[in-house]
């Protein structure tokens, strides 16, 4: 749910402390933290154009995260346990000896050198999320894994400090976010289409060289270069959200190089963008319904909103944005995305209640705007990470589909029926690749990986951004005997980081001891 149509972002994964800090800065925090073409046909050329060789890596002390990566909570470097490096890879794998780009890397070495299993590479999703900025903040969740693995992550091409995709400036982005993204008449439609064209034109102007090469196929080839540079015969991998799509494509291209791999919060590889957006709309609606039921059954039931009141609030915001302490106005689009942002974790549901109470009872949009900013990559200083432009660039480099306003109008009834809160925004977001200067690689993703080692595929029944059915379809796509399906009966985006003891125990036993979970294992 965003103007840049993130397919499966992990914006709130582990963002609890950052959320509390941002709310406090806005003057609305509480007392503590809350308890983020067809690939198959190109397999041969992928391998021919990108044979992985071990490039030397120079690991040095890490600087603080850059603006493009998303500034850390205190603006400081991640600490003495962390090292950073750059990995050179071809800009264009069709010309492996041509121009090179550098990928930003980060790692924390395994504690037990005698029992070290190798590296465990993470991708936390987006597409567009910086692994270099994200991994240190989430490292406590993977502390046991660090005993025997080097924890490693990276900024994929186009993301963060890796051949950064740049589009609009900060002030231009703020202005663009004020334009109504769900037009109700011809004039608003013209304005929305003009704004989309201006965004696309800015990306083409500022990032022309990299836009053709930020596709997921190229990122998967990069991961095989990373594997070799780390000195690992096999890639041990933990992909979350969009990271599951990247992991599936890697397994398709290099099945013989898959080590122990976990895919959590799984993207459905069988869906085109319209089907994916509709599925995500239904997922967010399910999460909203679960939130409303949970709130109504709590001690604060009297303060809980209803869906009808939320819909009424959004209709009012269409013409009357709410003031905030920041001096910015909370628009209808920002409110919708702020609501979606809070649904990524059950731990942030209380902030959704807080934000809706403010909007409905006080006529202010402070908390909902903070929630929106977290999802969009806007820092408290008004500077944006490159999450949004990278998200759009990678999505459009992958998907061949280019939708028109007429397509959206045809689909609107189905999207509205799926969700009176999220449907319209999701439908209109299909225009994000309209006019994009680069053709997409595929219509749907091929993840078939015959010959791969077992891959653990985890679906969460309450996941808003990557609905549960996607995990089974990914498992089917990987092929018979490859996927071990695991179910988490819970809420929020992803399973391992929920802290569920059964889920952590199941995944750790696989990654640390090689114990593949029984097919159909369920945790709740």
């Amino acid at each position: 749910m965003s103007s840049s149509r993130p397919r499966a972002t992990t914006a709130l994964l582990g963002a609890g402390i950052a959320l509390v800090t941002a709310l406090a800065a806005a003057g609305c925090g509480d007392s503590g933290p809350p308890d983020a073409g067809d690939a198959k046909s190109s397999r041969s050329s992928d391998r021919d154009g990108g044979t992985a060789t071990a490039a030397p890596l120079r690991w040095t002390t890490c600087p603080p995260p850059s603006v493009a990566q998303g500034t850390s909570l205190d603006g400081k470097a991640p600490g003495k346990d962390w090292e950073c490096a750059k990995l050179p890879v071809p800009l264009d794998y069709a010309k492996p000896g041509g121009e090179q780009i550098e990928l930003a890397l980060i790692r924390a070495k395994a504690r037990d050198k005698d029992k070290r299993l190798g590296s465990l590479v993470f991708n936390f999703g987006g597409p567009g999320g910086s692994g270099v900025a994200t991994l240190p903040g989430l490292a406590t969740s993977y502390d046991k894994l660090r005993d025997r693995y080097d924890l490693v992550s990276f900024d994929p091409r186009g993301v963060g400090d890796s051949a950064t995709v740049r589009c609009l400036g900060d002030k231009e982005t703020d202005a663009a976010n004020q334009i109504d993204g769900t037009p109700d008449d011809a004039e608003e439609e013209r304005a929305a289409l003009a704004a989309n064209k201006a965004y696309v034109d800015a990306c083409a102007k500022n990032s022309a060289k990299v836009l053709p090469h930020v596709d997921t196929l190229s990122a998967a080839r990069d991961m095989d270069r990373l594997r070799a540079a780390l000195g690992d015969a096999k890639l041990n991998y933990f992909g979350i959200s969009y990271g599951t799509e990247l992991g599936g494509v890697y397994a398709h291209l290099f099945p013989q190089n898959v080590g122990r791999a976990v895919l959590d919060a799984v993207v459905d590889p069988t869906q085109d963008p319209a089907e994916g957006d509709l599925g995500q709309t239904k997922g967010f609606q399910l999460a909203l319904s679960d939130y409303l039921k949970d709130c109504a059954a709590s001690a604060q039931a009297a303060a809980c909103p209803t869906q009808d009141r939320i819909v009424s609030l959004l209709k009012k915001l269409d013409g009357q944005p709410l003031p905030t302490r920041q001096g910015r106005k909370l628009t209808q689009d920002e409110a919708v995305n702020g609501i979606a942002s809070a649904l990524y974790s059950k731990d942030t549901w209380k902030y959704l209640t807080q934000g809706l109470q403010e909007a409905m009872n006080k006529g202010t949009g402070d908390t909902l705007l903070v929630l929106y900013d977290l999802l969009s990559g806007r820092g408290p200083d008004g500077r944006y990470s490159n999450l949004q432009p990278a998200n759009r660039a990678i999505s459009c480099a992958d998907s061949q589909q280019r939708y028109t306003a007429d397509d959206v109008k045809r689909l609107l009834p189905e999207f509205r029926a799926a969700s009176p809160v999220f449907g319209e925004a999701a439908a209109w977001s299909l225009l994000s690749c309209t006019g994009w200067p680069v053709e997409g690689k595929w219509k749907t993703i091929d993840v078939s990986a015959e010959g791969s080692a077992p891959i653990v595929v985890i679906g969460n029944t309450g996941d808003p951004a990557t609905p549960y059915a996607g995990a089974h379809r990914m498992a089917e796509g990987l092929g018979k005997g490859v996927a071990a399906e695991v179910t988490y009966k819970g809420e929020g985006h992803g399973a391992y980081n929920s802290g569920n003891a059964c889920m952590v125990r199941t995944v750790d036993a696989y990654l640390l001891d090689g114990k593949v979970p029984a097919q159909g294992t369920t945790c709740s």
Side-chain angles (χ1 to χ4, degrees):
M1 297 300 121
S2 155
S3 59
S4 59
R5 197 170 58 82
R7 289 176 297 188
T9 185
T10 55
L12 288 190
L13 187 61
I17 296 175
L19 176 57
V20 172
T21 301
L23 290 170
C28 50
D30 67 8
S31 59
D35 285 42
D38 184 337
K40 186 174 183 180
S41 64
S42 60
R43 178 184 284 182
S44 176
S45 61
D46 290 334
R47 289 177 175 170
D48 291 344
T51 302
T53 55
L57 294 173
R58 293 181 60 253
W59 295 98
T60 61
T61 302
C62 292
S66 68
V67 173
Q69 291 172 321
T71 54
S72 63
L73 182 62
D74 56 8
K76 296 181 180 178
K80 61 184 177 66
D81 288 345
W82 297 93
E83 300 174 308
C84 288
K86 298 285 189 178
L87 173 68
V89 296
L91 172 66
D92 182 354
Y93 274 94
K95 303 173 182 177
E99 183 175 355
Q100 304 284 297
I101 59 175
E102 290 187 325
L103 304 183
L105 314 178
I106 192 167
R107 77 172 178 186
K109 288 185 178 180
R111 295 190 186 92
D112 192 336
K113 295 180 180 179
D114 293 334
K115 295 183 179 180
R116 180 180 175 275
L117 294 169
S119 304
L120 181 61
V121 176
F122 290 81
N123 181 283
F124 297 100
S130 165
V132 173
T134 302
L135 180 57
L138 295 179
T140 55
S141 298
Y142 309 109
D143 194 61
K144 187 175 180 180
L145 299 176
R146 191 187 159 197
D147 285 343
R148 301 185 65 192
Y149 285 104
D150 295 348
L151 303 186
V152 178
S153 194
F154 65 107
D155 291 352
R157 52 176 58 217
V159 176
D161 284 357
S162 298
T164 313
V165 171
R166 303 185 189 279
C167 297
L168 298 176
D170 297 330
K171 291 183 179 179
E172 293 171 313
T173 302
D174 276 345
N177 288 341
Q178 295 296 302
I179 294 172
D180 192 341
T182 54
D184 302 310
D185 55 40
E187 182 179 352
E188 289 186 349
E189 183 177 325
R190 283 192 294 272
L193 292 174
N196 187 68
K197 183 179 185 303
Y199 193 99
V200 170
D201 289 347
C203 297
K205 177 183 177 181
N206 296 319
S207 303
K209 184 175 74 173
V210 300
L211 291 185
H213 307 295
V214 295
D215 55 283
T216 299
L217 283 166
S218 296
R221 297 178 192 128
D222 290 342
M223 285 212 301
D224 207 51
R225 295 280 179 124
L226 174 58
R227 172 198 60 76
L230 293 169
D232 293 335
K234 303 285 186 179
L235 177 73
N236 301 308
Y237 181 71
F238 203 131
I240 303 166
S241 199
Y242 162 77
T244 67
E245 180 177 319
L246 178 59
V249 171
Y250 179 88
H252 172 70
L253 297 179
F254 306 104
Q256 74 283 0
N257 291 346
V258 174
R260 296 175 185 175
V262 175
L263 306 182
D264 184 5
V266 184
V267 173
D268 187 335
T270 69
Q271 295 180 327
D272 64 26
E275 293 166 337
D277 275 16
L278 182 61
Q280 197 174 70
T281 299
K282 294 176 180 178
F284 276 102
Q285 181 60 41
L286 173 63
L288 179 64
S289 298
D290 289 348
Y291 153 74
L292 292 171
K293 291 175 186 176
D294 183 81
C295 192
S298 70
Q300 289 77 39
C304 293
T306 63
Q307 180 166 287
D308 286 345
R309 289 195 70 194
I310 293 173
V311 172
S312 295
L313 169 67
L314 295 175
K315 287 180 178 178
K316 183 178 179 181
L317 284 171
D318 194 24
Q320 297 177 278
L322 293 180
T324 70
R325 288 187 178 91
Q326 295 185 38
R328 297 158 62 203
K329 296 280 190 178
L330 176 77
T331 66
Q332 181 189 56
D333 293 340
E334 289 168 337
V336 169
N337 283 287
I339 293 168
S341 177
L343 295 174
Y344 275 79
S345 171
K346 190 172 182 179
D347 292 334
T348 51
W349 284 4
K350 63 182 177 181
Y351 297 118
L352 179 54
T353 302
Q354 178 178 322
L356 291 171
Q357 285 177 339
E358 288 175 358
M360 294 173 179
N361 302 330
K362 298 180 182 179
T364 58
D366 296 288
T367 299
L368 288 178
L369 189 61
V370 169
L371 288 164
Y372 168 79
D373 285 348
L374 278 174
L375 194 63
S376 68
R378 189 185 193 274
D381 58 1
R383 296 187 294 177
Y384 285 85
S385 73
N386 94 312
L387 173 64
Q388 289 190 60
N391 180 284
R392 190 179 297 210
I394 295 167
S395 298
C396 299
D398 283 348
S399 301
Q400 292 180 357
Q401 292 83 352
R402 301 293 184 256
Y403 298 95
T404 66
D406 287 341
D407 292 328
V408 172
K409 292 171 187 175
R410 175 176 51 83
L411 292 167
L412 268 172
E414 189 174 9
F415 275 77
R416 286 171 177 151
S419 174
V421 174
F422 305 110
E424 287 207 21
W428 282 105
S429 74
L430 289 170
L431 295 178
S432 61
C433 292
T434 301
W436 196 253
V438 174
E439 292 184 1
K441 300 292 185 184
W442 55 50
K443 290 186 177 179
T444 57
I445 310 158
D446 192 337
V447 295
S448 58
E450 182 181 356
S452 169
I455 298 173
V456 174
V457 177
I458 305 170
N460 178 358
T461 58
D463 197 314
T466 49
Y468 176 64
H472 182 64
R473 291 175 185 148
M474 175 67 81
E476 287 184 325
L478 289 169
K480 186 176 181 180
V482 175
E485 286 188 70
V486 175
T487 293
Y488 172 53
K489 293 184 177 180
E491 301 290 345
H493 188 39
Y496 187 87
N497 284 88
S498 69
N500 177 269
C502 167
M503 185 56 60
V504 171
R505 185 168 59 249
T506 299
V507 172
D508 286 357
Y510 168 66
L511 289 175
L512 295 172
D513 302 319
K515 296 179 180 177
V516 179
Q519 199 68 247
T521 295
T522 298
C523 295
S524 58

